[in-house]
Amino acid sequence: MRLVPIDGCRRVLVTAVGLVFAVLAVGCSGPPAPSAQAGGGGHQVPACPRPASPGQPLTHPPPITATTVATLGQAYSCVLDNWADGATLDDRVLITGAFAGLTQELQRRGLDQATAMLPALTGNHDGDWTSAGSVLQWVVDALPADPQVRQAVLAAAMNGLVASLHDDHVSWVRSFGGGLPSLGVITSVQIARRDAMPPLFVTAVEPGSPAAAAGLQPGDVLTTVNGVVPFANGQLNTGALAQVSDVAAYYSGAPPSRDPVLLALNRPSTGRDWSVALTPGLVPRPPPVSATALGADIAEVKLTAFGPNAAAMVFTAIANLHLGDKLRGVILDLRGNGGGLPTEVARLLGGFVHGKVWGFDVDRNGVRTANHTDDTVALLHQPLVVLTDRDCVSACDAFSDAVKDLHIGTLVGTRTAGNVAGPAYPYLLNDGSLLALPTAHTLGANGEIIDGIGVAPDYNAPVTPQALSTGHDPAVDKALSLLGH
């Protein structure tokens, strides 16, 4: 993440564990709420920082300071004032979520208090915060003076507030930049979901990572993680997943660990069973775009996120294969793509079709805005096959839906994640953390809802550990057959 002050405001582009918050902007930092500084944090509702228009990314992260009750109040105001469903949201949902997180953390630490009780709420935004904020401040003031304890309790309250929205595009981030410790292994399930199916296996290994040094390969099945089976009775163990998946660890809200992770593995191609202890480390992230020539006429391009200049990098990568007039098709691999900027969706689609509406954003007032392809991009005039899976999220969902609705290519693989929303704007809170909120709902090119449903492929071709272990990829094989190979 890079941060720069512009005209007294801070503007932010956030990427975290491969996930990109799209069309990001944060507002000018408002002055701290006087009520919180005086110890009576609930007497006034702290104002949400004003959003700024998107601008140049920032070069220096803001300092991270202690979360306060006023920080919670800012988040409360931001959600009600800016979230896509904030206009119809009952504020009691937010406050109840915050108190649930708070009291659970108090009990976990053996610090429960008689005064830690939800006050009577009426549905009046200001009045409810006056009551709830006062109780929160009393609870915090009665905690041990240890700043780590107070931070943990307030963070639990904030995470409870965020969780109460049940929106996968709302997030609260206190730690960003500098990288996180990782095993460097990409698994068949990256984000915990109810429809995850066993087994949990390796789909890719990042170069220079602990997993690469230990010799892990695509197709290797993780039979246990720290002695725990990833699936029990068909149900995913989210804790085990978070030990090996960077994305799952990010969503869990747990601090990154540098403790060794003991993996028990099986390699289907040889039947070998073995165990290895991997210590998470800082892994150099590969570029978001890579390309390979399949045969002498097909360009296979892997795109991991719709980050800045993603479309241009895709087109450059194809050109750098030097296939020239021999090029007869493009396979765009979006499996595991973490989403990103809608402007890059428009530009990448512009390489395959012009003059189309690829989706709609509907704001909190019901105003619908059409998203158009970027017709300044030169057409490739090539057939397109897009590879998708359940970890193709957000902007990847939207791009895949546009390919299908506009009939500009064929989808192969499995259904996308169905985690899509309008542009997510991060608001810089008074502790230096970021609260990201989508301000609109995204609909497909035909006006359909994608969120919660995903985009079904035209041809189902799931990856299996047996295939990967023997050097085969069913989705790529199907894509090649569709392109005449």
Side-chain angles (χ1 to χ4, degrees):
M1 185 195 74
R2 298 176 296 162
L3 298 165
V4 231
I6 300 176
D7 298 330
C9 300
R10 289 175 176 167
R11 300 176 180 181
V12 173
L13 174 65
V14 177
T15 59
V17 199
L19 299 179
V20 182
F21 298 116
V23 186
L24 305 177
V26 304
C28 307
S29 298
S35 56
Q37 301 303 319
H43 296 312
Q44 294 179 359
V45 185
C48 177
R50 298 185 302 275
S53 59
Q56 293 296 318
L58 300 176
T59 55
H60 301 289
I64 299 295
T65 59
T67 302
T68 65
V69 173
T71 314
L72 285 170
Q74 282 188 311
Y76 173 82
S77 296
C78 286
V79 170
L80 293 172
D81 294 345
N82 300 284
W83 183 49
D85 289 327
T88 58
L89 177 66
D90 188 331
D91 71 273
R92 290 170 286 195
V93 171
L94 289 174
I95 294 175
T96 301
F99 268 76
L102 172 95
T103 54
Q104 289 166 15
E105 184 66 15
L106 291 175
Q107 292 176 83
R108 191 182 75 82
R109 291 176 174 270
L111 296 173
D112 205 0
Q113 302 176 22
T115 57
M117 294 291 294
L118 186 70
L121 304 175
T122 65
N124 177 276
H125 294 179
D126 292 346
D128 284 347
W129 182 256
T130 296
S131 301
S134 295
V135 174
L136 288 169
Q137 193 66 56
W138 295 337
V139 171
V140 171
D141 290 344
L143 288 171
D146 185 342
Q148 293 185 348
V149 171
R150 295 190 173 199
Q151 179 61 45
V153 170
L154 284 164
M158 182 71 82
N159 286 325
L161 182 150
V162 169
S164 71
L165 299 176
H166 303 287
D167 186 326
D168 49 64
H169 274 65
V170 176
S171 63
W172 180 57
V173 181
R174 273 182 58 84
S175 176
F176 37 81
L180 298 174
S182 170
L183 300 182
V185 60
I186 311 300
T187 53
S188 53
V189 180
Q190 285 286 296
I191 303 173
R193 56 180 187 268
R194 292 182 180 179
D195 63 349
M197 297 289 291
L200 183 67
F201 59 93
V202 177
T203 58
V205 176
E206 295 184 339
S209 67
L216 270 67
Q217 297 178 7
D220 289 345
V221 176
L222 284 71
T223 54
T224 65
V225 178
N226 284 335
V228 177
V229 293
F231 286 88
N233 298 321
Q235 298 298 309
L236 176 67
N237 185 313
T238 56
L241 178 64
Q243 293 292 314
V244 295
S245 166
D246 296 347
V247 179
Y250 169 77
Y251 274 118
S252 73
S257 172
R258 293 183 182 271
D259 295 332
V261 179
L262 181 62
L263 303 179
L265 302 120
N266 170 266
R267 182 161 294 165
S269 61
T270 63
R272 177 192 176 197
D273 293 302
W274 82 104
S275 297
V276 61
L278 301 182
T279 300
L282 295 181
V283 178
R285 295 297 182 188
V289 175
S290 58
T292 305
L294 301 181
D297 53 6
I298 301 298
E300 181 189 17
V301 184
K302 175 72 174 177
L303 176 63
T304 60
F306 283 87
N309 301 314
M313 287 189 283
V314 168
F315 300 135
T316 299
I318 294 172
N320 287 344
L321 293 176
H322 302 295
L323 297 179
D325 293 338
K326 295 180 181 179
L327 182 63
R328 291 201 302 111
V330 175
I331 299 173
L332 182 61
D333 189 348
L334 297 184
R335 292 173 296 183
N337 184 293
L341 304 170
T343 51
E344 295 305 312
V345 172
R347 288 170 185 156
L348 191 53
L349 288 169
F352 298 93
V353 69
H354 284 176
K356 298 293 185 180
V357 171
W358 60 265
F360 301 89
D361 287 333
V362 183
D363 71 14
R364 57 191 278 130
N365 298 314
V367 176
R368 178 180 293 203
T369 301
N371 296 316
H372 297 267
T373 55
D374 188 337
D375 296 350
T376 67
V377 177
L379 290 168
L380 288 178
H381 299 292
Q382 293 293 334
L384 173 67
V385 178
V386 178
L387 309 186
T388 61
D389 66 1
R390 291 295 276 164
D391 293 313
C392 165
V393 303
S394 194
C396 186
D397 278 301
F399 180 89
S400 303
D401 177 81
V403 168
K404 187 168 186 173
D405 280 0
L406 301 178
H407 307 288
I408 61 176
T410 306
L411 302 186
V412 174
T414 56
R415 186 180 291 269
T416 65
N419 292 353
V420 61
Y425 288 83
Y427 295 85
L428 183 62
L429 304 181
N430 65 3
D431 63 348
S433 66
L434 293 172
L435 179 71
L437 297 171
T439 57
H441 294 287
T442 292
L443 303 177
N446 291 335
E448 77 276 27
I449 295 173
I450 310 168
D451 191 47
I453 299 170
V455 184
D458 299 298
Y459 295 92
N460 195 54
V463 173
T464 66
Q466 291 78 12
L468 287 181
S469 190
T470 55
H472 295 285
D473 186 328
V476 173
D477 292 344
K478 181 62 180 179
L480 286 172
S481 71
L482 291 170
L483 293 172
H485 274 242

